Every structure is written in structure tokens, then in C-alpha cells.
Amino acid sequence: MVAPPGLVKKICCIGAGYVGGPTCAMIADKNPNTEVTVVDLNEARIRAWNTDDLPVYEPDLLSYVKSARDGAEGKRRPNLFFSTDVDAAVKAADLIFISVNTPTKYTGTGAGSACDLGYVESATRKIAEVAESDKIIIEKSTVPCKTAETIREILAATGRPGVRFEILSNPEFLAEGTAMNDLLHPDRILIGSLRTERGFQAAEVLSSVYGAWVPRDRIMTINLWSSELTKIAANALLAQRISSVNALSAICEATGADIDEVAYACGKDTRIGPRMLKASVGFGGSCFKKDILSLAYISDSLHLPEVAAYWRSVVDINEYQKDRFTRRITKTLYQTLTNKRIAVLGFAYKKNTGDTRETAAISVVNSLVLEQANIRIYDPRVKEEQIWQDLMATASDVELLKKRVTVCSSAYEACTESHAAVILTEWDEFSNKDYSTPTPSTNGVADTEGLRLNGKSPLLERAPTTDAVPQVTATNAIDGANQSASNATESHSSNGASNNGKSESGKASKRMDWRHVASLMKKPMFVFDGRNVVDVDKLESLGFRVECIGKSGTPKASNALLE
């Protein structure tokens, strides 16, 4: 065994993305006597981690990184390092996290469903090549069940004689936008090991690392294969819940029911509970779709076609929801969008992140472009080059896209002379509700905790959320990071610093003035709320016609124009 519990001196994490970076920042902060090194072959990413302009936007991340990376004179020495020297970090480490990208395969057997484990295999071969002493290898990436068996075979076949490896599964359950609080106050830490003496010993070593701040009753040790499957199963169940409420939202729009009221009432049933019952234009992020399709592929490979079809239907509903929302825009705007200007407010898949992977905005914008609309996009966190990269990678007509789309620097710029505003991300600045605290973060998901009936409809108040997502696109063998989901955010420092060197009180949280927006837009004015973050009555009083997910529409404003 490499080191007895509580005496782990050096940890290495392969992959400096959405999971590896934040996870190691927390581990280093809470284990000041342990040296934690995060390695990646992407030099630009490593350079960014060594500055205050971090490559990952996550509230409160910068304060944790600076605490461990820079140290504090007279209080603590630096113990968090970011490097491209993979060999040296692997050779020195007692524990090695594999936190690399596991994207969906796009070619070959299982294309469109199966996970591509190429980065995991490459990282494993590098460990076998370099390691000169016994190591504990920890799967942090989201992987199919039995991946640890593959890792063991590779290490046994290619490792140095006499060097022993123990494999653990330690899946992450982080939600982008709340990752640091998810790490600080996890629902559970899951550690899977073989049911052998060495397996139990390895699990206890990793438990001691988390035990520096996580109560022992929240650290679970289970079967290695159960741990691998639990991560995918958890994401599939969360996504299934979202697709269920989104399917109900279609019925609500057709019947005059209100999805917020339905979700609130259902959530009061203790058998159902209030979490993850927020209807939206559709879930996004790196994990939900990928993991569900992986689960469907596993089911097919086990000759369980009915099970595979069930899980694929969850993704089908999500795609249907995005398409249905786009068709509603076209129908409401008199069946034609040709040359009409549409303001798209929000491009990230949820608030408090700059992540755009699988964001509903990509599908919606591409569909509106094909309807010959002129699209003006604004997002407070997503960089313009990222928006163009996502759209051009998925557009059926790139030249038309370039002609029809403009990226704006403010919501007001996007809304000027627009016929409609389409809200696709629940950024606080887009809401006009009377919240004393910001709107709940969603991935097409949010709690109905905090929902209370007030007159004819429930009002959303602040509540912790659950979600899935994480990872960065890998460009080489050990480049990128894993992904996934879970809770809410607590500040690590009193100055409210967040990563990218930006304050939480900055651009993303300043509310827009909808009265001013009304003076900028063309009449009649329309708002299509894909996140249900606006107060409909207030917007109607300004002359807007408002169409919300899961609600039948509010034609009062347009009717008033005809009177």
C-alpha cells in the first residue's frame, strides 16, 4: 500500500478541466500538508490556471485556488500546482485522479451513443509507463460500468514489474455554477473498490483525504462496479425527471394549466418531492445527454432493447421541447420570421457558468436562422468566439448563419429594434420578479422548494438546485476533464471573489430595465420566456405579449392594441 490513511503526501490529477481543477482546489485547500498537482497537455489552459483569469468560470473558485496555489505568508505554504509535466507528477504521486474527457463516439461501433474512452486509456498507459512505485488510481471521469477492469488489464500488461496498482471509482456529483459548494458540502462522497483487503485499504486512504472536511457518515464505500454505474444512473434519473415535467408543460400549454402550479402541487407529495421540477426549453450541459445515451448503448449491448428505448425517449423529449419552443415563436409571430429581428438573451446552458455544451440556445438559434430571422445574441459570461464556434459547428448553412447572426455586448443592444426577446438562460439580470435573492439556477431544472402559491400562480424564490454537467473539450491524449452535477454555492472568502477575476456583484447580476427595453423594441413587442423567470403581469403592463414555457400564453397586451 502506498501510504497509510492520513499520510498521503502527493496527489496528481490528470485533466485540468471543469472537474479536475475545482476538485483539486478544494482538496488542496482542506489538506494543507498534501501536495496536489493538476496536469494537462494543454499549455494554454495550464497557463490560465496559474493566473487569476481562470479557464473555468465558477463562483468562489478563484479564492480557493489562490489560497492553496499562492499560500499565505506565515499561515500556509503553497500546495496546489498546475503543470504540463505529466511524467514528473505521476511518478511522485501516491494517488492519481483520472479526470479526462469521455465524449460520445461520433464514428465506428456505438457512434452517437457509446462513450469514447480513448483519453482514459491514454492516461492509463502514461501512468503504467512512468510509475516506479505502487499507486492508487482513481476514476474521476464518468465512465461505463466495468471500465476499471479495462484499466486494470492495461496496467497489468504494460506496468513495470513489481509495481502494483489499486483502482478506485470516485465519481463526481457537481453542478456547474455551484461546484464549490457541492464540494464543500457534498450529499455524499462515493468510493467504489474491489471487495478485497487491498481494495478496502485503498478506499480508506482516499476516505482520509475527503475526511479532512467531509463528515465520515457522508463517505460511502461500495462495490467498484456499482460506483461506476451509480454516476450514470444518477444523471439519467435527473434528466428523466426534467423530461417528465417538460412533457407535462406541453399539456399545460394546450389546456390552460400552469406548469409552475402543477409542479408545485406535485412537489408537495413527499413521494415525489420538490426538486428538479422546473420546466424549461430543455436541459443542457456536458453530462445528461451523453450519459443517457451511454446507458442506452449499454442496455442495447446487454440485449435489453426495451430498456434502451426507454432511456432514449428521455433525450427525445428534450429535443422535442427545443423544437416545440421554436415552433411556438414562429407561430406567435404571425407564422413568419423572415427578416424579423430576434433578441436571444442567454447562450450558456444555465446561469453562473460560461459553459455552452449541449445548450438549448444552439438548437433554437440555428432553427430561427433557417426561418430567415436576424438574430442578436447576448450572454453576460459566454465569450463571442465560443458562441460562433458552437453555432458554426452545428449550422447547416454557415454563410446564412454569418449573415443572420450578431453577437451583442449588452441586452439593450440585442433588444434594440427587435420584434421579440427570447430568454434562453435564467441569468438574474433578465428577471423582473421581486426577489430579495437571485433566481434559482437551472439546467432546465430548479427546485420548487421556495415555490409558494400567491394568488393565481406560485412565485419562485431562492432554493438550492441540482444539475449535471462538467468537462472541457480535449485536444490530445491527456487533455480535458470530466463532467457532471449537483447543488448550491457558499462563499469561501468575504470579498465575494469568483474566478476569472470577476465579482459576483458584477455584470451578470445587474437587473435589466424592462421599461427601457420597451422603448427600444418594435411594436407589437413579444417576450418568449424559456426559463419562466419573468413576472408576466408586469411585462404585460408595459405592453409586452409574453409566452412562457408550460403556460398557455398571455395575449392581453396585443388584445389591448386592437381595442
Side-chain angles (χ1 to χ4, degrees):
M1 184 53 56
V2 293
L7 294 178
V8 175
K9 295 301 182 184
K10 294 188 177 183
I11 294 174
C12 170
C13 177
I14 301 176
Y18 278 98
V19 173
T23 299
C24 286
M26 182 64 71
I27 288 175
D29 183 76
K30 300 302 181 182
N31 292 270
N33 295 319
T34 300
E35 184 177 300
V36 181
T37 303
V38 183
V39 295
D40 202 299
L41 295 184
N42 187 320
E43 293 183 2
R45 184 178 303 146
I46 292 298
R47 281 197 302 272
W49 278 112
N50 284 311
T51 70
D52 288 354
D53 187 17
L54 304 183
V56 172
Y57 173 72
E58 192 64 47
D60 301 313
L61 173 59
L62 180 60
S63 61
Y64 281 96
V65 170
K66 293 184 71 173
S67 170
R69 184 194 66 193
D70 303 341
E73 188 173 354
K75 295 183 179 180
R76 64 176 295 162
R77 62 177 179 81
N79 70 319
L80 176 62
F81 306 93
F82 297 92
S83 172
T84 57
D85 192 346
V86 178
D87 290 17
V90 168
K91 188 177 297 185
D94 301 315
L95 276 65
I96 302 173
F97 287 98
I98 297 178
S99 186
V100 298
N101 192 9
T102 54
T104 300
K105 290 181 67 175
Y106 290 103
T107 59
T109 303
S113 296
C115 279
D116 185 345
L117 298 178
Y119 300 127
V120 173
E121 180 178 342
S122 182
T124 303
R125 290 183 181 277
K126 172 57 70 175
I127 294 169
E129 173 193 332
V130 172
E132 297 177 345
S133 59
D134 293 357
K135 311 288 184 188
I136 297 176
I137 313 300
I138 304 159
E139 294 175 334
K140 203 66 178 171
S141 301
T142 302
V143 294
C145 192
K146 291 287 189 177
T147 297
E149 194 170 85
T150 300
I151 294 175
R152 287 173 60 84
E153 289 181 3
I154 294 172
L155 292 172
T158 62
R160 299 170 187 251
V163 176
R164 297 182 298 179
F165 301 95
E166 199 63 40
I167 316 300
L168 299 176
S169 168
N170 176 220
E172 51 78 25
F173 299 95
L174 308 179
E176 289 184 52
T178 66
M180 301 316 294
N181 191 70
D182 298 342
L183 287 163
L184 189 62
H185 301 294
D187 291 334
R188 76 288 203 197
I189 296 294
L190 194 61
I191 300 174
S193 71
L194 290 178
R195 306 285 87 181
T196 64
E197 182 179 353
R198 286 180 56 82
F200 290 134
Q201 289 175 345
E204 182 57 29
V205 170
L206 182 57
S207 294
S208 72
V209 174
Y210 286 110
W213 79 96
V214 179
R216 282 291 175 145
D217 61 359
R218 292 195 180 188
I219 301 175
M220 302 171 54
T221 55
I222 63 175
N223 177 283
L224 184 57
W225 321 125
S226 297
S227 178
E228 288 179 330
L229 184 58
T230 295
K231 174 54 194 293
I232 295 178
N235 280 347
L237 289 170
L238 294 173
Q240 180 260 0
R241 194 163 166 100
I242 298 165
S243 284
S244 293
V245 77
N246 280 343
L248 288 171
S249 74
I251 298 175
C252 288
E253 290 172 24
T255 60
D258 185 319
I259 191 60
D260 281 346
E261 294 176 341
V262 172
Y264 174 79
C266 289
K268 298 299 284 185
D269 188 324
T270 56
R271 298 169 300 172
I272 298 172
R275 306 297 294 273
M276 306 292 283
L277 290 179
K278 181 64 178 175
S280 74
V281 68
F283 61 73
S286 61
C287 289
F288 279 5
K289 181 178 179 179
K290 177 180 75 72
D291 290 352
I292 293 170
L293 293 176
S294 176
L295 189 58
Y297 178 74
I298 292 170
S299 301
D300 275 332
S301 67
L302 296 173
H303 308 292
L304 301 170
E306 294 83 3
V307 176
Y310 171 78
W311 288 115
R312 285 197 179 95
S313 71
V314 173
V315 175
D316 292 343
I317 287 292
N318 196 56
E319 297 305 312
Y320 165 73
Q321 185 78 342
K322 291 182 281 188
D323 179 64
R324 193 172 66 81
F325 184 69
T326 305
R327 285 188 281 110
R328 185 176 182 183
I329 294 172
T330 304
K331 180 180 178 181
T332 304
L333 292 178
Y334 315 116
Q335 299 289 359
T336 180
L337 300 182
T338 302
N339 293 326
K340 289 179 179 175
R341 181 175 289 185
I342 309 294
V344 170
L345 303 181
F347 198 83
Y349 84 91
K350 59 178 285 189
K351 77 172 188 176
N352 289 340
T353 181
D355 195 355
T356 60
R357 286 166 296 172
E358 297 296 337
T359 176
I362 295 175
S363 298
V364 172
V365 169
N366 279 327
S367 295
L368 295 177
V369 166
L370 291 178
E371 293 285 345
Q372 305 298 315
N374 294 319
I375 311 301
R376 298 172 68 82
I377 302 171
Y378 166 70
D379 189 284
R381 288 292 181 188
V382 181
K383 296 179 179 179
E384 180 174 353
E385 53 266 34
Q386 184 64 55
I387 292 175
W388 282 113
Q389 179 181 321
D390 291 333
L391 292 176
M392 293 179 70
T394 54
S396 58
D397 188 335
V398 173
E399 291 306 313
L400 179 63
L401 180 78
K402 292 178 179 179
K403 177 183 177 182
R404 294 287 183 178
V405 173
T406 302
V407 179
C408 300
S409 60
S410 73
Y412 297 132
E413 180 186 353
C415 291
T416 298
E417 295 295 309
S418 291
H419 295 80
V422 179
I423 300 173
L424 296 180
T425 309
E426 70 282 11
W427 289 106
D428 294 333
E429 70 174 281
F430 303 149
S431 177
N432 67 335
K433 290 185 176 180
D434 291 328
Y435 296 136
S436 58
T437 54
T439 57
S441 175
T442 71
N443 173 25
V445 319
D447 303 32
T448 53
E449 290 175 351
L451 272 175
R452 55 187 172 81
L453 293 178
N454 182 7
K456 67 177 183 179
S457 63
L459 294 177
L460 273 170
E461 298 179 338
R462 180 69 170 182
T465 68
T466 311
D467 194 339
V469 14
Q471 155 248 322
V472 164
T473 303
T475 57
N476 47 46
I478 309 176
D479 178 3
N482 186 3
Q483 44 225 44
S484 246
S486 211
N487 274 7
T489 301
E490 179 176 303
S491 179
H492 177 241
S493 63
S494 60
N495 62 11
S498 67
N499 51 6
N500 290 350
K502 297 176 181 177
S503 168
E504 283 309 287
S505 61
K507 184 178 179 182
S509 60
K510 185 178 181 180
R511 296 293 182 95
M512 59 191 286
D513 181 355
W514 280 97
R515 186 177 300 278
H516 181 54
V517 172
S519 71
L520 299 175
M521 291 179 62
K522 288 182 175 293
K523 306 297 190 293
M525 306 174 296
F526 294 83
V527 172
F528 297 90
D529 186 359
R531 299 290 179 174
N532 286 347
V533 298
V534 300
D535 184 315
V536 174
D537 289 338
K538 287 183 178 179
L539 288 190
E540 282 187 335
S541 70
L542 296 175
F544 289 97
R545 173 171 172 177
V546 185
E547 301 285 328
C548 297
I549 287 285
K551 303 178 184 185
S552 58
T554 57
K556 296 179 184 176
S558 56
N559 286 346
L561 293 174
L562 300 176
E563 292 176 355

